[in-house]
Amino acid sequence: MSKIALSESEWKARLDSETYYVCRESGTEPAFSGEYWDCHKEGVYHCKACSTPLFASDAKYDSGSGWPSFFKPIDASLLTLVDDDSHGMHRTEVRCGQCDSHLGHLFDDGPKPTGLRFCINSLALQLHEKSAASLKS
C-alpha cells in the first residue's frame, strides 16, 4: 500500500476543522467528549483521514481515560510511533502509517495480554460497524 501524501490545502478540503486540528496539527479532543470513548459497537476502527483499518473493536477497552483505548492494533506495521517530548513529558505519539495523521499516544499501562494502551482521539477514527448478517455467522 503506497503512502498518502496530500498538501495541507488538500487535507483542509478533505477534513472538517476539528478533525484537521487533531489529525494534521496533533491536537487532542477533550476527554469524555468524543464519539467513540464509550462506544461498544462491533467493527473496525479506521483512520478518519485515509480509511486505513487500524483497530478492531475486540481490542477496545475502557481505560477510564475518556478516550477510546485499545490494547493492540490490527497490524502494527500500519502505525508509526514517534517520540513526543512536548508538554514537559516524554510520550510516544501514534500516527497513521499511511497518511501520517496524528491519532493519539501509546502508554505501557494497558491490560494483558500486551500491557499497552493505545489512547486514540475519536476525531481521528471512523468506525465501520459489523453488519447484522456478519454478526450471526
Side-chain angles (χ1 to χ4, degrees):
M1 192 182 289
S2 61
K3 296 248 182 191
I4 297 167
L6 300 176
S7 69
E8 288 312 304
S9 61
E10 290 172 312
W11 282 118
K12 283 181 180 178
R14 178 183 253 195
L15 304 173
D16 64 62
S17 62
E18 290 178 316
T19 302
Y20 181 86
Y21 168 69
V22 168
C23 292
R24 306 309 305 169
E25 297 180 331
S26 299
T28 301
E29 67 197 9
F32 304 102
S33 70
E35 178 179 6
Y36 300 123
W37 78 269
D38 193 30
C39 179
H40 303 283
K41 296 176 181 174
E42 292 186 49
V44 174
Y45 291 86
H46 292 241
C47 174
K48 194 169 187 179
C50 73
S51 296
T52 298
L54 301 172
F55 299 97
S57 60
D58 63 0
K60 187 173 185 286
Y61 71 100
D62 182 4
S63 67
S65 68
W67 289 279
S69 297
F70 304 88
F71 61 83
K72 68 176 182 177
I74 290 172
D75 180 346
S77 71
L78 296 175
L79 300 175
T80 302
L81 303 179
V82 179
D83 286 334
D84 177 0
D85 293 317
S86 65
H87 305 289
M89 65 184 110
H90 178 75
R91 299 179 292 174
T92 301
E93 180 185 9
V94 180
R95 293 187 161 271
C96 176
Q98 289 306 118
C99 71
D100 202 37
S101 285
H102 170 78
L103 303 171
H105 288 89
L106 173 61
F107 301 95
D108 62 2
D109 59 1
K112 293 180 180 180
T114 65
L116 300 175
R117 174 172 53 105
F118 289 85
C119 188
I120 308 298
N121 289 282
S122 288
L123 283 166
L125 298 172
Q126 180 66 53
L127 175 61
H128 293 207
E129 291 182 51
K130 284 187 178 178
S131 68
S134 70
L135 293 174
K136 291 178 184 175
S137 56

